[in-house]
Amino acid sequence: MKLPTARRRIALVDANSFYCSCERVFRPDLENVPVVVLSNNDGCVVARDRLVKQLGVAMGVPWFQIKDLAKKHGLVAFSSNYTLYGDLSRRFMDVLGQFVPAPDQEVYSIDECFLDFTHHRLDDATATGRAIRDRVKRWTGLPVCVGFGATKTLAKMANNCAKKQPRWGGVCDLPALSETELGDVLGQVEVRDVWGIGHKLSAQLMQGGVKTAADLRRCDPKRIRERFSVVVERTVSELQGVSCMAWETEPPAKQQIIASRSLGGPLYTLDQLAEPIRFHANRAAEKLRQQASVAGRVGVWIQTNVFRPQDPQYTPMRSVAMPVASDDTAVICAWAAAVLEAVFRAGYRYVKAGVILDDIRPRGMMQGSLFDAQPPAQDLRREKLMGVLDKSNAKWGRGSIGLGVIKDQKRWAMLRGNLSPAYTTNWDQLRVVT
């Protein structure tokens, strides 16, 4: 049932420049220093703080292109520390869970979370937003902004205002505004900054005279649907205060699972490529079990460096249907190895490899034939073994235990020359205070 605008109050809490903020938590000396976080193999900028944005550094720019600028302005670059970011994200979400019951918290991404206050007394949303900011900052060290709206889209819009417009002080409560004030606020937001409106759509909307969020809000949803799509219609309805997006307390199961990474150095032989493929197959199978699913197809791709036109190029991808859908690491690794052998060609300089799982379905929906052997999911011994595998990796770190021997991971592991310590998950890397 759709609730009237007056009864809805949804908050979106978003950590500011999350990756960069995580690095600053244990490095207070970087408080006023521009910081960026780099992609795999320290290739491109994937996260920037406010100071870096002021220097005009664009998202995705190759690191080597801005090294002179970095040296001139004292810019500090970090390699992606996924272990640190994941753990601080978990702590961040745990703190937010103290403000509403579990059914009213929706973790949207690693650094964003919706909180539904509709069924809770909220006399002063701005004061609650400030309390959220203060507690998150005090308990995790992360700076956040809070936006309140009658729908998820309006909450997202409010968060955008809280982050980019200093007058809000980090907390923006749109439902507290009059209709005129709300129109003025939305009139300052370009249509391309509306959640769900991409670059291509915004160009088409602007051609039709829809330049701001306020213009889009005044549109007729049905006409918008005829001209564009049902997705844009929902966005317009959400801007008008009609909730159209479902509340998800659990993330939906993935319909496709991909495990891949650029290699730290080029590989040339089948034996060399077998190691990262086996590593990615282990990881993909673990993800599959985390969502209680099984996969019916296993695919593998390997890739040469497209940025080296002087090299011969070869980028094959092939998948195969397994006789019985499975989540067993041994089964998935065996099929991945077979596919790799089928697509591999000697004489190429491979720089990327990956495994993809398709035809994913819930574990209890495996359909066999009269002549099938006992399905792996019904083999209690194998199921227990996979459980031990997952618990071991959760305790001692991803990739600690897996199928097959990894001879020399340094040969193909990611290059992370500026990696910060695992401050919160490794006893040997705890921050020392003197």
Side-chain angles (χ1 to χ4, degrees), residues 18-97:
F18 181 67
Y19 284 6
C20 298
S21 296
C22 287
E23 298 291 353
R24 278 203 176 97
V25 168
F26 297 93
R27 289 287 305 274
D29 57 306
L30 298 178
E31 184 62 32
N32 296 309
V33 176
V35 172
V36 298
V37 175
L38 305 177
S39 63
N40 297 342
N41 289 323
D42 294 343
C44 303
V45 173
V46 294
R48 310 161 294 163
D49 67 1
R50 173 183 53 84
L51 299 175
V52 174
K53 293 176 183 177
Q54 292 174 354
L55 293 175
V57 177
M59 181 69 80
V61 64
W63 170 237
F64 75 88
Q65 292 184 2
I66 61 170
K67 281 189 175 181
D68 290 340
L69 179 71
K71 186 176 180 180
K72 179 180 178 181
H73 294 280
L75 189 151
V76 176
F78 288 96
S79 304
S80 295
N81 190 338
Y82 302 115
T83 302
L84 176 65
Y85 308 152
D87 188 61
L88 285 181
S89 173
R90 178 187 60 79
R91 296 168 187 240
F92 169 44
M93 300 304 171
D94 286 346
V95 174
L96 296 183

Side-chain angles (χ1 to χ4, degrees), residues 86-257:
D87 188 61
L88 285 181
S89 173
R90 178 187 60 79
R91 296 168 187 240
F92 169 44
M93 300 304 171
D94 286 346
V95 174
L96 296 183
Q98 299 173 4
F99 289 88
V100 294
D104 293 327
Q105 179 181 14
E106 178 184 327
V107 177
Y108 179 68
S109 68
I110 192 172
D111 62 343
E112 293 177 285
C113 182
F114 287 105
L115 304 176
D116 190 353
F117 289 94
T118 302
H119 307 292
H120 311 283
R121 183 172 180 175
L122 193 64
D123 296 327
D124 189 338
T126 300
T128 300
R130 289 171 181 164
I132 292 173
R133 294 189 75 217
D134 291 343
R135 188 176 300 180
V136 171
K137 179 66 174 177
R138 187 167 63 252
W139 289 14
T140 69
L142 298 172
V144 302
C145 286
V146 184
F148 289 91
T151 65
K152 285 185 177 181
T153 301
L154 285 172
K156 187 86 170 177
M157 184 74 61
N159 188 278
N160 182 280
C161 294
K163 185 176 294 186
K164 295 185 177 181
Q165 299 177 15
R167 70 184 179 115
W168 297 107
V171 179
C172 177
D173 180 19
L174 292 184
L177 303 180
S178 66
E179 188 65 26
T180 301
E181 292 172 329
L182 179 60
D184 291 341
V185 170
L186 298 185
Q188 299 175 31
V189 180
E190 296 183 13
V191 70
R192 64 182 178 183
D193 292 330
V194 176
W195 190 28
I197 305 297
H199 177 75
K200 186 176 180 179
L201 270 176
S202 64
Q204 296 176 3
L205 287 166
M206 291 179 70
Q207 288 179 355
V210 181
K211 299 181 179 180
T212 68
D215 296 334
L216 187 61
R217 186 171 183 262
R218 287 191 289 266
C219 291
D220 182 354
K222 293 183 178 179
R223 293 287 300 275
I224 285 290
R225 179 174 182 171
E226 294 172 359
R227 175 68 178 82
F228 296 98
S229 68
V230 66
V231 176
V232 185
E233 177 196 20
R234 290 172 183 168
T235 299
V236 174
S237 296
E238 287 257 327
L239 287 174
Q240 294 174 352
V242 178
S243 181
C244 301
M245 295 184 180
W247 192 261
E248 298 176 348
T249 55
E250 293 291 338
K254 296 180 180 179
Q255 299 304 305
Q256 186 181 74
I257 292 177

Side-chain angles (χ1 to χ4, degrees), residues 3-9 118 150 175 241:
L3 293 171
T5 298
R7 289 183 56 193
R8 298 287 290 177
R9 191 65 65 92
T118 302

Side-chain angles (χ1 to χ4, degrees), residues 385-405:
L385 177 60
M386 294 300 106
V388 171
L389 198 67
D390 295 340
K391 289 179 181 178
S392 300
N393 285 319
K395 182 175 181 178
W396 289 302
R398 182 182 302 172
S400 299
I401 298 179
L403 189 74
V405 178

Side-chain angles (χ1 to χ4, degrees), residues 316-380:
M317 190 279 169
R318 188 177 300 176
S319 66
V320 61
M322 296 186 290
V324 178
S326 176
D327 64 357
D328 190 297
T329 297
V331 174
I332 291 173
C333 281
W335 282 103
V339 176
L340 173 64
E341 188 172 356
V343 300
F344 175 79
R345 297 291 182 272
Y348 293 94
R349 190 174 186 269
Y350 297 103
V351 298
K352 191 171 184 178
V355 171
I356 180 170
L357 302 182
D358 271 315
D359 189 16
I360 294 176
R361 66 199 81 162
R363 183 179 294 163
M365 292 181 59
M366 292 189 303
Q367 181 176 355
S369 71
L370 179 62
F371 304 104
D372 282 343
Q374 188 178 25
Q378 296 177 11
D379 185 338
L380 296 180

